[in-house]
């Protein structure tokens, strides 16, 4: 068993105020289900959530991530998460929100790192890690786009604007 490590950092300007962005982020289940690849997400209490993700396969490796995560929402500008317990996948990260470049906008950033325990020979690891990094970047960028779309569509409805 080896651990495949990856990390991603992505950000975007959201056409909504920080309260609207944070409201979605604080809905951990509703927001988490926007993340590409999430099959199920359930609240277990004490800010702990159980994720089951779709199987990831690249021909050499097949892995179904299953993990528990604790969220820390005590800082108004940061929402952090970290793994809880021993699982075949672990994720650490933070959502950061800052004022956007224009009034009524928010800059949202996702900074994450993860480890997946897979049954492969250590010699294969250098061949698999680039795929894991690419997959992590795609998930992070897709998640960010889905959050942006959800928040902005809600902001348009609240303001009476349509597009």
């Amino acid at each position: 068993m080896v651990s495949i490590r990856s990390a991603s950092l992505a950000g975007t300007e959201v056409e909504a105020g920080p309260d609207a962005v944070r409201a979605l982020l604080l809905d951990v289940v509703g927001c988490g289900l926007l993340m590409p690849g999430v099959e199920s997400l359930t609240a277990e209490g004490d800010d702990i959530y159980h994720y089951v993700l779709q199987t990831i396969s690249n021909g050499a490796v097949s892995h179904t991530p299953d993990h528990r995560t604790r969220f820390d929402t005590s800082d108004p500008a940061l929402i952090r998460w970290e793994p809880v317990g021993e699982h075949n996948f672990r994720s650490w990260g933070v959502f950061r929100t800052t004022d956007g470049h224009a009034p009524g906008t928010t800059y949202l950033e996702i900074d994450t790192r993860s480890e997946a325990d897979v049954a492969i020979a250590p010699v294969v690891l250098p061949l698999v890690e680039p795929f894991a990094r690419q997959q992590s970047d795609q998930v992070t960028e897709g998640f960010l786009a889905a959050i942006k779309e959800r928040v902005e569509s809600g902001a348009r409805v609240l303001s009476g604007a349509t597009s």
Side-chain angles (χ1 to χ4, degrees), residues 11-16 99-108 144 148 152:
T12 190
E13 187 96 2
V14 179
E15 293 181 21
D99 290 336
H101 292 96
T105 66
T106 303
Y107 187 76
L108 171 62
L144 193 60
K148 176 181 172 71
E152 289 179 350

Side-chain angles (χ1 to χ4, degrees), residues 28 94 100 108 116 145 147 152-153 156:
V28 175
V94 63
L108 171 62
I147 292 169
E152 289 179 350
S153 66
R156 283 192 296 273

Side-chain angles (χ1 to χ4, degrees), residues 98-154:
T98 56
D99 290 336
H101 292 96
T105 66
T106 303
Y107 187 76
L108 171 62
E109 183 177 82
I110 302 174
D111 186 356
T112 185
R113 66 184 175 91
S114 61
E115 295 178 356
D117 293 336
V118 295
I120 61 171
V123 70
V124 180
L125 189 60
L127 302 173
V128 174
E129 280 189 324
F131 170 78
R133 283 191 297 273
Q134 178 185 29
Q135 187 77 17
S136 180
D137 288 344
Q138 289 172 348
V139 167
T140 301
E141 290 165 9
F143 192 23
L144 193 60
I147 292 169
K148 176 181 172 71
E149 173 58 31
R150 177 68 57 89
V151 172
E152 289 179 350
S153 66

